[in-house]
DNA sequence: CTTGACTCCGTATATAACTACGGAGATAAG
DNA sequence: CTTATCTCCGTAGTTATATACGGAGTCAAG
């Protein structure tokens, strides 16, 4: 046996990689096809290896997805990472930032509405008009 | 002008309804099939009519979708509205609230990361390590 | 009362994002 | 070396969310 933390995420085969990222192998391959993940070099007819940064990338994709970004949008976000095309990346980032801030506003309205609903429900134990639709409408 | 919107939105046929909500007719019917919208009574072999509350409902669905909720989850949210099953609704609302708060946290981290990225990009005009992945990873 | 746009409804097709399958080759444990 | 388990890769199937199509009925204007 070896060191524990970081060395656990080195030299992973695609199976352990997938498990570490909480997705299945097919999803990894699918993401590679979409350009969301790079396919590492294959050592002469052998088997590709992955590491912690790949795991992080998949986790990022999954998180961004939960926030309503499509895989294509996420690919855009990830392209910001490479540091080249700074001008372009900056533009894209600003655009996404606007996006993110709108989502934030919606979510905050939704949070308020839900919190009120829970409150009202507990308080009155009766009929309550749902403020939810209204919440996202005021925009 | 605050009532203007509403008074324009009475007695709509499905076509004008769809236009008002910014979706197409087929989407309306699809949502009816999924239980996201009620199908109004059809006046003896005639044509159904819709109003502003239907439009609001569709707009809510679309907003919630942008926030990463699935149609099934949105159906859950909408079921909170009817005021019956208060106990159950309250439970559901609490669960969704947790959800919403997690998304909020992720989005805020993402906002920070994007803002930093734009900033750094403008400042250095050079290579910048992307804080994005890191942002959503710290959870 | 005809005409053209619209509705109704059922079925079919499309797109995104997976998920499953299967045969051939690689690797590790015994 | 054998064998079980995995990887590789290509193709096919699935689920969620729409969109498109088409024939028959309905409505409102001329």
């Amino acid at each position: 046996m070896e060191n524990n933390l970081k060395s656990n995420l080195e030299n992973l085969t695609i199976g352990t990689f997938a498990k570490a990222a909480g997705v299945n192998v097919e999803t990894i391959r699918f993401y590679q096809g979409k350009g969301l993940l790079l396919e590492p070099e294959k050592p002469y007819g052998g088997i590709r290896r992955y590491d912690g940064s790949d795991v992080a990338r998949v986790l990022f994709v999954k998180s961004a997805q939960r926030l309503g970004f499509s895989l294509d949008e996420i690919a855009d976000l990830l392209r910001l990472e490479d540091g080249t095309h700074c001008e372009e990346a900056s533009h894209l980032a600003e655009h996404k930032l606007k996006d993110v801030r709108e989502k934030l506003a919606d979510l905050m309205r939704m949070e308020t509405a839900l919190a009120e609903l829970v409150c009202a429900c507990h308080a009155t134990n009766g009929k309550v008009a749902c403020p939810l639709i209204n919440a996202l409408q005021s925009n």
Side-chain angles (χ1 to χ4, degrees), chain A:
Chain A
M1 79 168 83
E2 307 183 2
N3 293 342
N4 35 17
L5 282 170
K6 198 138 196 174
S7 50
N8 281 344
L9 293 178
E10 302 276 322
N11 247 41
L12 311 173
T13 64
I14 199 170
T16 43
F17 168 26
K19 194 157 293 180
V23 300
N24 22 8
V25 170
E26 284 83 5
T27 304
I28 302 293
R29 294 198 197 285
F30 177 69
Y31 285 180
Q32 288 171 339
K34 295 276 292 183
L36 289 163
L37 289 173
L38 286 185
E39 204 161 340
E41 290 303 315
K42 190 167 80 164
Y44 182 54
I47 280 174
R48 294 175 224 282
R49 297 294 170 157
Y50 303 83
D51 64 19
S53 71
D54 296 303
V55 175
R57 215 167 156 101
V58 171
L59 293 180
F60 173 78
V61 171
K62 284 299 171 189
S63 295
Q65 255 184 328
R66 286 192 304 119
L67 297 175
F69 292 96
S70 71
L71 290 186
D72 284 352
E73 289 173 320
I74 294 166
D76 286 349
L77 285 171
L78 285 171
R79 233 171 284 124
L80 298 181
E81 181 186 41
D82 81 348
T84 68
H85 323 98
C86 199
E87 188 83 6
E88 187 193 335
S90 171
H91 250 88
L92 188 53
E94 275 173 22
H95 181 256
K96 291 294 172 193
L97 187 51
K98 186 164 159 288
D99 229 63
V100 161
R101 284 180 172 150
E102 276 164 15
K103 286 185 181 187
L104 264 177
D106 275 353
L107 266 181
M108 289 188 298
R109 275 195 292 273
M110 201 173 224
E111 187 197 11
T112 303
L114 278 172
E116 272 170 16
L117 195 64
V118 171
C119 235
C121 229
H122 281 157
T124 72
N125 190 36
K127 223 173 161 98
V128 176
C130 180
L132 267 177
I133 290 181
N134 222 19
L136 285 185
Q137 215 187 340
S138 49
N139 173 358

